[in-house]
Amino acid sequence: MTFDLTPEQDQLRDAVRALGRRYGHGYFVEKAKAGEHTTELWADAGRLGYLGVNIPTEYGGGGGGITELAIVCEELAAAGCPLLLLVVSPAIAATVINRHGTEEQRKRHLPGLADGSQKIVFAITEPEAGSNFHRLGTVARRDGDGWLLSGRKCYISGVDEADHVLVVARTEDASSGKLKPALFLVPTDAAGLTRSKLDMEILSPENQFLLYLDDVRVPADAPVGESLDAGLPALFAGLNPERITVAAMGAGTGRYAIERASEYTATRKVWGGRSIGSHQGVSHPLAHAAVQVELARLMIQKAATLYDAGRDLEAGVAGNMAKYAAGEAAALAVDTAVQVLGGAGMTTEYGVATLLGAVRAGRIAPVSREMILNFVAQHVLGQDKSY
């Protein structure tokens, strides 16, 4: 057992950290407040190969795994400029297409996902069903040589930046007559697909949308995979990378907040010339938060290692635990940083309160802490299903 990164992974971490620091939290906040996207950072990350680290080399990627993509997510967040679409496009969409798409779909989409010239977002959540795919109301029905999709989706990130949206819909199983999930690649400019921006109390360059699909026609090759039987495996293929990379962003954000707070408390002197960090009432909460972040990082590393080894069931447990741990740790770290900075912690200048909304959302999305606890109770502790 080793906790050391490979030399290549160490080099990746150092290089991504340097890129993130060139932009920094000020850039992130400026873009978010202006209603703009982090286009320049995304383009540089793509040009340098960081967006495609988990995509096979034959499609223009780096040939690594979710471990490498988690490093990218964490280090950009640790520099104060997390990129949510790293989770949606390279982690979910690229993984789904690579593992379950047709060769034509891989050739068509993976090179653009690898260099950042293409973005594909993910649409599963619905107003009534949440993320419970058993109750999804979006349906796809055959129409001639294509498909018609109808339904609604909510909290869909980055639709205004994407070329395609990976829509989870339900199709009729010809053998049983029952509905089963399938994933469809839908162009964001398709006729009948409209969107409405959601106003969110989160400072972020990425926007959230309601999507309306009104008989959106897509061609016969829009479903991911050689057949509709690929739908369920493809759906689950994207969920573990989503959990792991969201967790990595949370851990990076926690590191960023603790670093900013530690710099401040080590130099701020109020009582008798001693730094405020010399008082245990200040240093102990920060140390506690640092411990929680580091524990989350260990679980992220375990989850990514299991996933890259093809141990999907174990990775599912570890990925959910990592997401839970990182969500809690990030929220604790940012809140603690605000507290120890006092009034300065609430200013834009010191760059920690600007993350409060994002880390609070990290305890809800993409899966709530309560649903993770349900999962652990059932699959780890052997309890009856509670929902």
Side-chain angles (χ1 to χ4, degrees), residues 174-263:
S175 61
S176 67
K178 295 181 179 180
L179 294 176
K180 62 180 183 180
L183 277 68
F184 291 81
L185 284 159
V186 181
T188 51
D189 61 357
L193 178 64
T194 57
R195 64 182 187 241
S196 175
K197 183 181 173 184
L198 288 164
D199 290 328
M200 306 291 290
E201 295 299 321
I202 300 173
L203 187 65
S204 172
E206 295 93 3
N207 296 315
Q208 301 290 317
F209 292 90
L210 288 167
L211 288 188
Y212 306 92
L213 298 100
D214 184 13
D215 283 343
V216 176
R217 183 173 177 80
V218 293
D221 63 354
V224 172
E226 299 288 352
S227 73
L228 293 179
D229 291 334
L232 192 59
L235 174 59
F236 282 113
L239 296 183
N240 285 340
E242 175 190 55
R243 308 289 196 260
I244 295 167
T245 50
V246 165
M249 284 179 55
T253 300
R255 285 172 50 203
Y256 167 82
I258 291 168
E259 180 180 348
R260 294 303 301 270
S262 297
E263 291 171 352

Side-chain angles (χ1 to χ4, degrees), residues 14-37:
D14 290 342
V16 176
R17 181 186 298 121
L19 173 65
R21 288 181 175 175
R22 285 210 306 271
Y23 283 89
H25 191 59
Y27 165 82
F28 178 90
V29 171
E30 179 183 353
K31 289 292 185 179
K33 289 192 172 184
E36 299 174 355
H37 303 306

Side-chain angles (χ1 to χ4, degrees), residues 359-383:
V359 295
R360 187 61 186 85
R363 301 175 72 204
I364 301 168
V367 59
S368 71
R369 62 193 298 275
E370 288 75 21
M371 286 304 296
I372 292 176
L373 293 175
N374 283 335
F375 178 91
V376 172
Q378 179 184 350
H379 295 283
V380 178
L381 305 182
Q383 303 304 302

Side-chain angles (χ1 to χ4, degrees), residues 61-349:
I66 294 302
T67 297
E68 284 74 20
L69 187 59
I71 289 172
V72 176
C73 291
E74 181 182 346
E75 289 306 321
L76 288 178
C81 42
L83 294 181
L84 177 59
L85 290 190
L86 277 170
V87 174
V88 181
S89 198
I92 300 177
T95 299
V96 166
I97 293 169
N98 181 49
R99 290 186 62 170
H100 295 281
T102 64
E103 180 60 20
E104 174 58 31
Q105 288 168 343
R106 287 192 283 269
K107 289 179 178 178
R108 188 188 316 158
H109 297 291
L110 291 181
L113 293 174
D115 66 19
S117 61
Q118 183 178 164
K119 296 175 184 174
I120 299 178
V121 296
F122 184 59
I124 182 173
T125 307
E126 295 185 358
E128 289 78 22
S131 297
N132 181 0
F133 69 85
H134 296 291
R135 297 179 59 85
L136 293 180
T138 300
V139 295
R141 63 184 188 276
R142 292 189 183 273
D143 182 66
D145 61 352
W147 294 85
L148 290 177
L149 276 66
S150 297
R152 292 189 301 161
K153 299 290 183 180
C154 62
Y155 304 118
I156 309 306
S157 306
V159 180
D160 56 334
E161 302 180 61
D163 311 281
H164 289 76
V165 54
L166 191 58
V167 175
V168 184
R170 301 182 73 192
T171 63
E172 185 175 348
D173 187 333
S175 61
S176 67
K178 295 181 179 180
L179 294 176
K180 62 180 183 180
L183 277 68
F184 291 81
L185 284 159
V186 181
T188 51
D189 61 357
L193 178 64
T194 57
R195 64 182 187 241
S196 175
K197 183 181 173 184
L198 288 164
D199 290 328
M200 306 291 290
E201 295 299 321
I202 300 173
L203 187 65
S204 172
E206 295 93 3
N207 296 315
Q208 301 290 317
F209 292 90
L210 288 167
L211 288 188
Y212 306 92
L213 298 100
D214 184 13
D215 283 343
V216 176
R217 183 173 177 80
V218 293
D221 63 354
V224 172
E226 299 288 352
S227 73
L228 293 179
D229 291 334
L232 192 59
L235 174 59
F236 282 113
L239 296 183
N240 285 340
E242 175 190 55
R243 308 289 196 260
I244 295 167
T245 50
V246 165
M249 284 179 55
T253 300
R255 285 172 50 203
Y256 167 82
I258 291 168
E259 180 180 348
R260 294 303 301 270
S262 297
E263 291 171 352
Y264 181 87
T265 56
T267 56
R268 171 76 167 162
K269 296 180 179 180
V270 178
W271 307 108
R274 297 173 60 190
S275 70
I276 62 172
S278 67
H279 299 278
Q280 292 178 351
V282 173
S283 62
H284 281 191
L286 273 178
H288 173 65
V291 169
Q292 302 310 306
V293 169
E294 190 61 23
L295 291 173
R297 294 181 73 206
L298 288 172
M299 184 54 76
I300 293 163
Q301 185 176 355
K302 177 180 180 179
T305 300
L306 289 169
Y307 184 84
D308 289 338
R311 295 160 65 178
D312 288 350
L313 291 177
E314 295 165 277
V317 173
N320 275 285
M321 288 184 171
K323 192 274 170 185
Y324 181 98
E328 299 299 303
L332 175 66
V334 172
D335 185 69
T336 301
V338 171
Q339 188 69 25
V340 300
L341 264 69
M346 295 303 296
T347 66
T348 302
E349 176 187 356

